[in-house]
Amino acid sequence: MDTSQTGAGHDVIDVLAADHREFEQLVAQLTATTEPAERRETADQLIAELVRHAVAEEMFVYPEMREHLPNGEEAVEHDKQEHHELEVLMKRLEGLDAEDPQFMETVAELRDVLSDHVRDEEGEQFPLLRANIPTDRLISLKDKVEAAKKAAPTRPHPGAPNAALFHKLVGPGVGLVDRLRDRLTGRST
């Protein structure tokens, strides 16, 4: 389906691809600045958005991939491993001072894993999802993903199980706690 006919944000794939563009812009902004406070704020925003995106994918997109893609289980396991790598890097980044030389090294590692993940999704998985899932289903998944992103945690929790059931049952509560913590610490999300 040609997304230019449907308009931006028409279905779940449009939403996820728009998230990818946002991540790329945040990484570019992060690497372009030398101001520690701006780096910290941009890194925190990137972390929050990546966590929300990953949780929503795991809750609603991965089950569809398992069901509808020829190599669905393998693709999901690969993506979950990349999500875990990203979570570990985000947790490390969250704990580093923006002036620490390891901060930008960690940003570079995060960018590389993220770029590979985006390439896999946009180059292979998204076209297969569009070819194998009816349009009305992709549109209804958009609403579910957007709702999940609003309730999702804003901080990485690499020790938490990467399971849709965990996110559905515990994720909204963790998200609420994270957002309260963000408000109390002045972290922007």
Side-chain angles (χ1 to χ4, degrees), residues 116-177:
D116 181 59
H117 185 67
V118 167
R119 254 190 321 276
D120 289 347
E121 286 188 344
E122 293 186 6
E124 299 169 26
Q125 297 163 2
F126 289 178
L128 286 171
L129 287 170
R130 276 229 165 91
N132 290 295
I133 298 177
T135 302
D136 60 337
R137 179 79 184 132
L138 292 173
I139 292 169
S140 72
L141 280 171
K142 170 190 167 256
D143 296 335
K144 290 178 181 179
V145 163
E146 287 177 335
K149 284 171 43 179
K150 288 177 184 166
T154 61
R155 296 172 182 261
H157 297 278
N162 281 331
L165 182 60
F166 171 81
H167 292 304
K168 285 179 182 171
L169 296 176
V170 180
V174 172
L176 179 64
V177 170

Side-chain angles (χ1 to χ4, degrees), residues 23-91:
F23 303 153
E24 290 165 349
Q25 289 174 343
L26 288 168
V27 169
Q29 184 180 335
L30 188 53
T31 56
T33 186
T34 57
E35 171 58 39
E38 187 177 337
R39 273 188 181 165
R40 175 81 272 153
E41 185 175 328
T42 304
D44 288 347
Q45 183 181 358
L46 175 62
I47 289 167
E49 295 307 322
L50 276 169
V51 169
R52 289 176 176 138
H53 175 90
V55 167
E57 278 187 332
E58 290 176 17
M59 286 175 67
F60 296 106
V61 178
Y62 289 179
E64 298 292 328
M65 288 172 61
R66 278 190 178 98
E67 183 177 341
H68 297 287
L69 299 189
N71 65 339
E73 188 62 41
E74 180 183 318
V76 166
E77 288 309 311
H78 175 77
D79 282 3
K80 284 172 62 176
Q81 178 57 39
E82 286 178 334
H83 278 185
H84 181 71
E85 289 176 52
L86 288 167
E87 288 169 5
V88 169
L89 289 167
M90 288 184 289
K91 193 66 176 173

